Amino acid sequence: MSADPAVAKRSPTVRSSWARLATRPEMGVVVGAVAVFVFFSVAADSFLRASSLSTVLYASSTIGIMAVPVALLMIGGEFDLSTGVMVTSSALVSSMVSYQMTANVWVGVVTSLVVTLAIGLFNGSLLVRTQLPSFIITLGTFLMLTGLNLGMTKLISGTVSTKSISDMDGFESARRLFSSSVTLGSVEVEITVLWWLLLVAVATWILLRTRPGNWIFAVGGNAPTARAVGVPVGYTKIGLYLGVAFSAWLLGQHLLFKYDVVQSGEGVGNELIYIAAAVIGGCLLTGGYGSAVGAAVGAFIFGMTSKGIVYAQWNPDWFKFFLGAMLLLATLLNAWIRKRAEARR
């Protein structure tokens, strides 16, 4: 009996579509995310409650807001070790400027945006001008910001934390923008989740549908070759650092208007979490490969693990062990997917 001609005609196309899908940078982490979700659904009775999932999404968004631009930076072949303390710097500047000037808090918010973007511009410009490794440049920025955060806060406030600004003009309007929540059905969802999803959509559009997206992949894959064909390598890298700085400002404002008071020592170590989320999401340390969606799913895995351990009533001391194991497994899986993708070209 002969095969259906229509089916025979469609089969190569279907197989080709599945093959392309299987070699996407985020496919490995999607499989991992499903496995983690199923695991904690079984291990923790409360994990599937609507309120628990809302908490997981919030924890994921506070990582994902930074993991997405960090992923774009890594695709462009660079690192930023100052991201964790830059978030804190953003919140500190906004709070202290508002309090010391006894002005509307929006003055502090705008000042913080300018200062944070200046930090990103400093990182990118110094990288382009000196050709030093981004690891060294941003490590230096990390150390400087860590000292500035503590020193300036103690100098101005007399303590290691900022003063409350909750009674100042503009606080409520700023809180609605940066730290409110929306009700979806019977679930309260933090606005950071919406900001996170918006960043993923914009970053994905830039990478896959715009000329700067092609530049990012080209710069990360082979900067000298990209420069030879007319790609503005320097401007591309500076733009990526500005994108990281903008997200740091956004997350810093959220933390300020959610908790009102900011501790100057916060944020140290978070830069490794952002990088790990991007790597788990499929980004290569060598650049030129990865996706914003993968980084977002990597952040979601972090959120599920951090809260799932609590819901399962396990010792939270094991959290870092699980993260390290996931990082290694994801890196191995991503390397395997990468080799399959190269073999099919």
Side-chain angles (χ1 to χ4, degrees), residues 7-345:
V7 174
K9 183 180 291 185
R10 288 196 303 267
S11 295
T13 303
V14 172
R15 286 196 298 268
S16 178
S17 298
W18 276 107
R20 288 196 300 269
L21 185 63
T23 55
R24 287 289 303 161
E26 62 271 10
M27 282 310 298
V29 71
V30 168
V31 174
V34 171
V36 172
F37 183 85
V38 172
F39 176 77
F40 282 114
S41 299
V42 174
D45 295 336
S46 59
F47 185 77
L48 293 179
R49 293 176 185 171
S51 58
S52 300
L53 293 177
S54 176
T55 302
V56 168
L57 283 175
Y58 172 63
S60 303
S61 69
T62 56
I63 298 173
I65 285 174
M66 289 304 300
V68 169
V70 165
L72 264 64
L73 182 64
M74 291 180 64
I75 294 172
E78 304 297 344
F79 291 94
D80 192 342
L81 297 179
S82 66
T83 51
V85 291
M86 195 190 305
V87 171
T88 304
S89 297
S90 165
L92 290 171
V93 169
S94 184
S95 178
M96 289 191 288
V97 167
S98 299
Y99 186 85
Q100 293 301 317
M101 295 182 64
T102 61
N104 190 296
V105 298
W106 284 103
V107 175
V109 169
V110 173
T111 303
S112 175
L113 175 60
V114 173
V115 171
T116 310
L117 289 177
I119 296 172
L121 181 62
F122 171 81
N123 283 338
S125 299
L126 192 62
L127 173 77
V128 171
R129 288 180 177 275
T130 65
Q131 299 298 310
L132 288 172
S134 56
F135 178 89
I136 298 299
I137 291 174
T138 58
L139 177 60
T141 307
F142 162 80
L143 294 172
M144 289 189 294
L145 288 179
T146 302
L148 278 174
N149 288 350
L150 178 60
M152 292 301 294
T153 304
K154 293 182 72 174
L155 179 65
I156 295 174
S157 302
T159 65
V160 295
S161 63
T162 60
K163 305 292 185 181
S164 173
I165 59 172
S166 60
D167 58 345
M168 298 186 66
D169 293 338
F171 183 88
E172 285 302 317
S173 60
R175 187 191 63 80
R176 285 194 296 271
L177 177 62
F178 295 110
S179 188
S180 60
S181 60
V182 294
T183 302
L184 300 178
S186 59
V187 181
E188 290 286 330
V189 178
E190 292 282 348
I191 198 170
T192 51
V193 176
L194 303 183
W195 286 120
W196 175 37
L197 296 177
L198 178 61
L199 284 173
V200 173
V202 171
T204 300
W205 174 74
I206 290 174
L207 283 176
L208 303 181
R209 294 289 183 267
T210 69
R211 181 178 295 178
N214 293 331
W215 293 346
I216 293 171
F217 282 109
V219 168
N222 192 318
T225 301
R227 184 179 291 107
V229 297
V231 173
V233 174
Y235 287 122
T236 300
K237 292 189 176 186
I238 291 173
L240 290 171
Y241 276 102
L242 288 174
V244 170
F246 175 80
S247 291
W249 168 78
L250 181 63
L251 183 57
Q253 301 315 293
H254 164 71
L255 296 176
L256 171 61
F257 290 104
K258 182 175 181 64
Y259 300 108
D260 184 25
V261 174
V262 181
Q263 298 290 329
S264 59
E266 293 179 354
V268 177
N270 286 349
E271 62 282 345
L272 298 180
I273 293 179
Y274 306 146
I275 292 173
V279 172
I280 289 175
C283 292
L284 294 180
L285 297 177
T286 52
Y289 190 78
S291 72
V293 172
V297 179
F300 185 50
I301 287 180
F302 271 66
M304 286 192 293
T305 304
S306 63
K307 300 305 175 184
I309 288 176
V310 175
Y311 295 139
Q313 298 182 345
W314 296 345
N315 189 335
D317 293 340
W318 289 94
F319 173 60
K320 292 293 179 65
F321 171 82
F322 283 112
L323 292 186
M326 283 191 299
L327 177 62
L328 292 176
L329 290 174
T331 303
L332 291 172
L333 180 60
N334 291 336
W336 178 74
I337 292 176
R338 171 70 169 173
K339 289 179 180 179
R340 283 177 56 89
E342 291 178 344
R344 291 178 180 276
R345 289 176 180 174

